[in-house]
Amino acid sequence: PRRRVIPALAVAAVALAIRALLAEFLPLIDHDGVIYVTIARQVHASGSPFDPLYHPLYPLCIALAQPLVGEWETAGRWVSALFGALVIVPAFALARETVARQAALLTAVLLAVHPRLVLNSASVLCEATYTFFLVSGVYVARRGLVNGPGALVALGGLCLGLAYLARPEAAIYLVGLVAIVIFLIARGRARAAALLPWAGAAVLVFVVVAAPYVWYLTEVWGHPTLSGKIDHNLPLAVGAASEPDPLPMRILENALLFQKYALPDLLPWVLMLLVLPGVLARSKMRGWLTRDGLLLAAALPPFVSLAFHVDSRIFLPALPFVLPFAAVGVLWAAVTLTDARRGLPFSAVLALLIALALAPWTFQPVLRPDAGALVYREAARWIASTQPRDAVLLDRKPFVAFYSERRWIPLPRVGPDDLLAAARKAGARLVILDSRELPFDRRRLIPLLWGPTPPGLDVLRDFDPAPGDRLRILAVSERG
């Protein structure tokens, strides 16, 4: 059994090296990464990792890693890279018990080189941490239900509880675990006396792990809730809309946007061509749904987020449950193009070709670095050297404020005539106008990037990182 996991550990080591390499070439922290680092600093300052919107596990990991690393952003990237590589081990074990060892090893390779997984695991984002505990929980709970011992079911509840502390969707998987236990008992496949105590232990452990944060959210929002994002996101308008659409219409619109924008990120063309043949090949095997149904069901919970947004990174945790079918598709293609005897060696060649086809996307930050993103660090250095420490920045994104260690206020949806009033109301000393961010939902402010500014706002500095791009810093005149 120990030797069975050695190939997965070898692939995980390669995956860690790839993610560490990309982390060195990413010039900019993510928007949510700024929040995670802020919460991690809060852990050092007050001891509390709780926030009304962002779950506490990933910031807590950053806070624990920072003394070893010495820099907050780097600590966040290393935590993501470590968990992003380690997830290959439970994903390999889960695939090995469902679609067999050869397909499991190909699954590990696909997880190691998947472009969006690699990019996310090199960023200051929580998905890699969440996915590791989620896949671990699904694997150990399944093994406890199928092969025993039952204590693994309780361990699965612990892993899912830790996953909940990174992302709220983990609670859906606990409900699924309870449903599977009820189904097994109702169909006579397991004795209630043998299974119910361990299932109850799994629920109890999950509740104990999640209870402190749920209690905190209840106090903050005034009602029981598993995630503050629900209360925060539902009233928000999407894109350039002035008010939110009805929920059914929003889900329909986001489903269409998902298949247009997010799906190509999750399954690039070479993987898309393999997933369907893999599912069809598995469906020809007797009892396939009993074995593979768990993978198919485990890929669904992330799609509850369609009510809020369609960012592809939200759906990345579904990939460890989907890519085994792409791996089966590789084996099917190899056997179809050759024969059963030569299929396995040829599948290794196909896996190498797939990795080479994905390489330009996987290593894009290395091959084509985003030099224009460095403008945020340049502007931050200028502000840090010329502006007082208590200067407040009004900006669409918090990048300049983060690197200059100044306080940030989000730029509201206002026009040129209302910008000065909005800045004064926020108590801002500086207004940052960014040509990369304004076109999304602040289009009325675009003329201020190159044209004259309203009275009361003076141009302090212009940064032109690339043709057609500009970052302009405006100073708010004396209050009046």
Side-chain angles (χ1 to χ4, degrees):
R2 294 178 182 176
R3 292 202 320 219
R4 290 177 185 175
V5 79
I6 289 178
L9 291 174
V11 175
V14 174
L16 180 60
I18 294 174
R19 284 149 175 78
L21 174 64
L22 254 69
E24 295 297 322
F25 283 85
L26 294 178
L28 193 65
I29 195 172
D30 297 87
H31 180 192
D32 283 359
V34 174
I35 310 300
Y36 288 127
V37 168
T38 302
I39 300 172
R41 286 173 169 164
Q42 171 186 302
V43 173
H44 278 202
S46 65
S48 172
F50 292 160
D51 180 84
L53 299 181
Y54 292 84
H55 286 229
L57 180 63
Y58 179 58
L60 184 59
C61 291
I62 297 176
L64 294 175
Q66 189 273 336
L68 303 176
V69 177
E71 204 278 323
W72 290 100
E73 182 179 353
T74 303
R77 295 188 188 278
W78 284 17
V79 169
S80 290
L82 179 61
F83 283 113
L86 287 178
V87 73
I88 290 174
V89 178
F92 169 82
L94 179 62
R96 185 185 61 200
E97 295 190 359
T98 52
V99 295
R101 186 176 185 275
Q102 291 82 1
L105 187 56
L106 291 176
T107 300
V109 173
L110 295 178
L111 289 171
V113 300
H114 188 283
R116 293 300 298 180
L117 282 176
V118 172
L119 179 62
N120 185 272
S121 299
S123 304
V124 189
L125 295 171
C126 74
E127 278 71 34
T129 305
Y130 167 74
T131 306
F132 170 77
F133 286 107
L134 172 65
V135 178
S136 299
V138 172
Y139 166 67
V140 297
R142 179 196 179 278
R143 188 168 181 83
L145 292 174
V146 174
N147 301 323
L152 290 178
V153 180
L155 180 59
L158 173 62
C159 292
L160 292 179
L162 293 172
Y164 164 77
L165 294 181
R167 285 267 298 269
E169 297 94 319
I172 301 176
Y173 291 87
L174 180 70
V175 175
L177 173 60
V178 174
I180 291 173
V181 170
I182 295 174
F183 173 79
L184 292 176
I185 294 175
R187 295 295 297 270
R189 297 184 182 182
R191 293 185 299 109
L195 201 54
L196 281 180
W198 293 116
V203 174
L204 179 61
V205 171
F206 183 97
V207 170
V208 169
V209 172
Y213 186 57
V214 174
W215 182 272
Y216 167 83
L217 291 177
T218 302
E219 292 290 321
V220 170
W221 291 100
H223 59 85
T225 180
L226 292 176
S227 174
K229 287 289 187 75
I230 298 175
D231 295 80
H232 178 263
N233 288 338
L234 279 179
L236 295 181
V238 178
S242 58
E243 58 184 30
D245 292 331
L247 187 59
M249 181 60 66
R250 179 186 291 193
I251 294 175
L252 178 60
E253 292 173 347
N254 285 350
L256 295 175
L257 293 174
F258 169 83
Q259 60 86 25
K260 183 177 182 180
Y261 296 108
L263 189 58
D265 280 345
L266 298 172
L267 293 174
W269 66 272
V270 66
L271 296 180
M272 183 78 73
L273 292 175
L274 295 169
V275 168
L276 183 57
V279 175
L280 294 177
R282 292 292 297 175
S283 66
K284 295 180 180 180
M285 299 181 178
R286 180 175 299 178
W288 77 278
L289 191 58
T290 301
R291 294 188 300 271
D292 300 359
L294 177 65
L295 295 178
L296 296 172
L300 295 179
F303 290 90
V304 301
S305 299
L306 284 176
F308 308 119
H309 38 60
V310 291
D311 190 341
S312 60
R313 74 179 179 90
I314 303 300
F315 305 94
L316 291 176
L319 288 178
F321 309 112
V322 173
L323 290 182
F325 296 104
V328 173
V330 173
L331 294 173
W332 170 85
V335 172
T336 301
L337 295 175
T338 57
D339 53 49
R341 182 175 59 86
R342 293 179 294 174
L344 187 58
F346 190 64
S347 67
V349 175
L350 286 181
L352 177 61
L353 293 177
I354 292 170
L356 292 176
L358 295 176
W361 288 279
T362 301
F363 293 100
Q364 184 177 2
V366 179
L367 301 174
R368 298 184 61 185
D370 184 6
L374 295 175
V375 70
Y376 299 104
R377 292 180 180 268
E378 183 182 354
R381 285 193 297 267
W382 183 83
I383 289 176
S385 62
T386 62
Q387 302 299 315
R389 292 281 301 179
D390 61 349
V392 178
L393 277 59
L394 191 70
D395 195 353
R396 177 69 181 85
K397 295 287 186 179
F399 305 134
V400 176
F402 174 76
Y403 290 115
S404 63
E405 298 185 347
R406 300 305 191 264
R407 192 160 71 90
W408 169 68
I409 302 293
L411 178 65
R413 298 188 182 190
V414 296
D417 297 334
D418 305 317
L419 182 58
L420 177 62
R424 287 178 173 173
K425 181 179 179 180
R429 181 188 295 267
L430 302 176
V431 177
I432 312 295
L433 300 179
D434 180 7
S435 63
R436 289 190 170 204
E437 299 294 339
L438 294 182
F440 293 104
D441 53 7
R442 307 291 193 273
R443 296 177 181 175
R444 291 186 295 167
L445 297 177
I446 292 178
L448 301 185
L449 282 164
W450 287 274
T453 59
L457 292 171
D458 303 318
V459 178
L460 284 185
R461 180 78 184 269
D462 285 332
F463 296 88
D464 299 293
D469 287 343
R470 169 166 285 187
L471 188 144
R472 170 167 280 187
I473 301 177
L474 306 179
V476 179
S477 66
E478 183 178 342
R479 306 303 193 259

